Amino acid sequence: AQKITQTQPGMFVQEKEAVTLDCTYDTSDPSYGLFWYKQPSSGEMIFLIYQGSYDQQNATEGRYSLNFQKARKSANLVISASQLGDSAMYFCAMREYNSGYSTLTFGKGTMLLVSP
Amino acid sequence: DAGVIQSPRHEVTEMGQEVTLRCKPISGHDYLFWYRQTMMRGLELLIYFNNNVPIDDSGMPEDRFSAKMPNASFSTLKIQPSEPRDSAVYFCASSRDNSYEQYFGPGTRLTVT
């Protein structure tokens, strides 16, 4: 079974609108972290935001926020006031802290296109 | 602060040739990761090191792939002999410890003809 599922291969949004990118995860480890990365067309992977499984509040980082619903095992990324520069591939990832390994498991990604 | 440095940024080689990819992690980071990204398989972890010691190499596709980390500031990923199916973008990433985010290098785009 996939550990990270991103069901939206592509999303379109108009500039200045908000957009939500979906991510669901599967783990039995009570201690885990969820990460979002952005990959623009230039190719680099840019870390955006982190949510720990024990964090009481949803993470926020500027225009990025993480809608963490633990019971549903979802960690959706919300981008407010989209900008043209937000057009990129977005990856959700998870690290399980009790597994004994430090690896990140990535989803397949969602391509976001922001139009003027 | 300098980020993760990878070289070369692009590599084109012929099938059968040896390819060496290089990585310099962020100073002070104890973990180093090598990933491969393709359209078909997405982002895959190949191997990772902790304090220069390989911890998990289960993602290394086959014996043609090898990775070393002789010191805290340098790692190599070698493919010998290379094959066309090795064509991909190879990323190196580093992190401070188990709890922190990984910082990625710019990647090396490898094309094997």
Side-chain angles (χ1 to χ4, degrees), chain B residues 11-20 64 79-87 110-113:
Chain B
E11 177 80 37
V12 180
T13 191
E14 289 184 348
M15 183 173 63
Q17 296 298 308
E18 177 180 297
V19 175
T20 299
R64 298 185 297 107
I79 308 172
Q80 166 62 20
S82 59
E83 296 182 3
R85 60 193 168 119
D86 301 331
S87 297
L110 174 65
T111 303
V112 184
T113 60

Side-chain angles (χ1 to χ4, degrees), chain B residues 54-71:
Chain B
I55 303 300
D56 182 9
D57 65 354
S58 59
M60 296 286 260
E62 47 199 275
D63 292 345
R64 298 185 297 107
F65 285 69
S66 62
K68 293 181 180 179
M69 192 165 185
N71 57 61

Side-chain angles (χ1 to χ4, degrees), chain A:
Chain A
Q2 286 192 9
K3 291 206 168 188
I4 295 287
T5 303
Q6 295 181 254
T7 57
Q8 307 153 315
M11 289 284 286
F12 293 89
V13 67
Q14 276 201 316
E15 206 175 1
K16 299 179 185 175
E17 290 185 351
V19 63
T20 298
L21 306 183
D22 295 342
C23 173
T24 56
Y25 58 91
D26 182 27
T27 181
S28 57
D29 190 337
S31 180
Y32 54 90
L34 297 156
F35 303 76
W36 277 92
Y37 283 84
K38 172 184 178 182
Q39 188 177 37
S41 57
S42 51
E44 71 269 32
M45 294 282 286
I46 303 167
F47 166 72
L48 294 178
I49 194 167
Y50 166 80
Q51 179 85 43
S53 58
Y54 294 119
D55 292 344
Q56 295 297 313
Q57 292 188 323
N58 286 344
T60 61
E61 197 69 49
R63 295 185 299 111
Y64 304 109
S65 61
L66 203 151
N67 184 1
F68 182 45
Q69 298 188 41
K70 198 169 182 176
R72 295 185 179 183
K73 293 189 174 179
S74 75
N76 299 338
L77 177 70
V78 181
I79 305 174
S80 63
S82 299
Q83 300 173 357
L84 296 178
D86 294 334
S87 294
M89 196 76 169
Y90 288 81
F91 292 94
C92 180
M94 176 175 66
R95 177 180 282 176
E96 296 163 289
Y97 294 124
N98 291 328
S99 70
Y101 296 106
S102 293
T103 60
L104 276 178
T105 304
F106 284 85
K108 297 292 186 187
T110 296
M111 174 65 78
L112 175 67
L113 289 177
V114 181
S115 61

Side-chain angles (χ1 to χ4, degrees), chain A residues 37 39 43 95 97 102-103, chain B residues 37 45 48 91 98 100 102:
Chain A
Y37 283 84
Q39 188 177 37
R95 177 180 282 176
Y97 294 124
S102 293
T103 60
Chain B
Q37 186 179 35
L45 177 70
Y48 81 92
F91 287 101
N98 192 14
Y100 289 89
Q102 294 176 15

